[in-house]
Amino acid sequence: MKLNLKKPLVVFDLETTGLDIVNDRIIQLSYIKVYPDGKEERESLFLNPEKPIPTTISDLTGITDETVKDAPTFKERSSYLNDKFKGCDFAGYNSNHFDLPVLAEEFFRAGIDFDFSKCRLIDAQTIFHKMERRNLAAAYKFYCGRKMEDDFEAHRADQDTEATYCVLQGELDKYNPATAEEPDRALPNDMDVLAEFSKLNDNVDFAGRIVWQDMKGKDGNVLLDREGNPRKQEVFNFGKYKGWVVSDVLHRDPGYYSWMLTSEFTADTKQVLTRIRLREFNKK
């Protein structure tokens, strides 16, 4: 459907050096500028973040330090982008929570006061989540074919437990490999597989401050264990040591452990960190 626009709309996406809105930097900015008359203008820019791109980001995006070494910095392109985006509304996917805050930070560091408060900010992900509910009642109707309020009392833990059990069985029925219409939408009735599939991120702790990362050899290839599975190691997923192997940081900067224990991290994160520290200590 053609967009009903009163001023240009910039549909955009960013690739960045990480997920820290304050400390990470943009390495690619792509946008479609849609005008009220239907005209469309497309552009994709690589930007030099003036800091190394973590290997995990390069593996994910294909953008390496070599890709951006001769690219301009955001500051060098900021006036150009300010002119392009001035007077526009913005749209993206999860943009209100991540892309727009990152873009605002980059403009601020470049000395440009780009006032997003005067723009309409449209987030396709938020629209998706609000229009296609993902709560228990929606899942029960989708997988079990009935309205939850017809079968259960609302806001009762015992009733919600029964509904959840029904939903899980319905999911396994719908995605049964023996009957699935699409092979990539098949899900075996196996608890190991279901547990792995249930992970949104490969977190070590629940808060995701420490995550698992594949270990690689000097040749860049992933190291495998005896069963042929990738060997994993814990890495920090935040702060100044983001992307660093946790055990390396504990050896290099022992005070970082003490700082984390006395800071506002979850008890689970502190417990995980302590387990890693004790494991490394016992190796000595």
Side-chain angles (χ1 to χ4, degrees), residues 174-229:
K174 183 173 181 62
Y175 305 123
N176 186 340
T179 57
E181 295 180 3
E182 303 173 57
D184 62 342
R185 285 169 59 82
L187 199 59
N189 192 349
D190 181 287
M191 296 305 113
D192 287 334
V193 175
L194 295 179
E196 187 64 30
F197 192 76
S198 295
K199 295 178 181 177
L200 287 176
N201 298 299
D202 203 3
N203 295 343
V204 182
D205 63 325
F206 287 123
R209 297 291 189 171
I210 301 172
V211 297
W212 291 108
Q213 184 182 83
D214 290 345
M215 297 177 67
K216 294 184 178 180
K218 295 181 180 180
D219 57 2
N221 293 325
V222 175
L223 300 176
L224 304 178
D225 61 20
R226 294 178 180 177
E227 285 73 40
N229 300 312

Side-chain angles (χ1 to χ4, degrees), residues 24-248:
D24 281 310
R25 301 291 185 266
I26 298 172
I27 54 178
Q28 185 181 23
L29 188 159
S30 301
Y31 68 89
I32 306 169
K33 187 174 180 179
V34 187
Y35 292 83
D37 63 2
K39 174 187 170 185
E40 297 177 359
E41 179 184 322
R42 288 170 166 79
E43 187 170 20
S44 185
L45 305 170
F46 285 115
L47 298 168
N48 189 325
E50 299 182 281
K51 62 187 299 187
I53 300 174
T55 303
T56 50
I57 299 298
S58 294
D59 290 344
L60 186 66
T61 65
I63 302 172
T64 64
D65 291 332
E66 182 69 21
T67 308
V68 300
K69 69 177 179 134
D70 296 321
T73 64
F74 185 92
K75 186 173 184 178
E76 290 170 335
R77 298 294 274 171
S78 59
S79 294
Y80 169 80
L81 291 170
N82 182 48
D83 291 339
K84 281 288 184 182
F85 295 164
K86 190 180 298 181
C88 296
D89 293 328
F90 290 82
Y93 196 85
N94 194 36
S95 50
N96 287 2
H97 297 98
F98 181 73
D99 300 76
L100 281 167
V102 170
L103 187 58
E105 286 288 318
E106 290 278 30
F107 272 126
F108 180 79
R109 280 189 291 268
I112 293 177
D113 183 15
F114 195 100
D115 191 357
F116 285 99
S117 68
K118 296 179 179 178
C119 309
R120 297 181 184 89
L121 308 178
I122 300 160
D123 194 323
Q125 185 190 64
T126 300
I127 293 172
F128 172 47
H129 287 174
K130 288 187 174 181
M131 296 300 292
E132 302 297 332
R133 303 277 180 181
R134 291 295 185 267
N135 57 20
L136 180 57
Y140 189 79
K141 184 176 181 181
F142 184 81
Y143 289 108
C144 303
R146 290 176 56 82
K147 291 184 177 180
M148 191 171 164
E149 58 265 30
D150 292 341
D151 296 342
F152 301 101
E153 294 179 40
H155 306 297
R156 284 270 307 273
D158 57 334
Q159 301 287 288
D160 287 353
T161 300
E162 294 291 346
T164 301
Y165 183 41
C166 292
V167 167
L168 180 57
Q169 293 176 87
E171 288 173 336
L172 293 174
D173 286 338
K174 183 173 181 62
Y175 305 123
N176 186 340
T179 57
E181 295 180 3
E182 303 173 57
D184 62 342
R185 285 169 59 82
L187 199 59
N189 192 349
D190 181 287
M191 296 305 113
D192 287 334
V193 175
L194 295 179
E196 187 64 30
F197 192 76
S198 295
K199 295 178 181 177
L200 287 176
N201 298 299
D202 203 3
N203 295 343
V204 182
D205 63 325
F206 287 123
R209 297 291 189 171
I210 301 172
V211 297
W212 291 108
Q213 184 182 83
D214 290 345
M215 297 177 67
K216 294 184 178 180
K218 295 181 180 180
D219 57 2
N221 293 325
V222 175
L223 300 176
L224 304 178
D225 61 20
R226 294 178 180 177
E227 285 73 40
N229 300 312
R231 292 174 58 188
K232 302 279 188 179
Q233 59 188 357
E234 304 99 337
V235 301
F236 282 115
N237 194 34
F238 76 98
K240 67 178 182 179
Y241 289 122
K242 185 173 182 178
W244 285 56
V245 177
V246 174
S247 58
D248 290 347

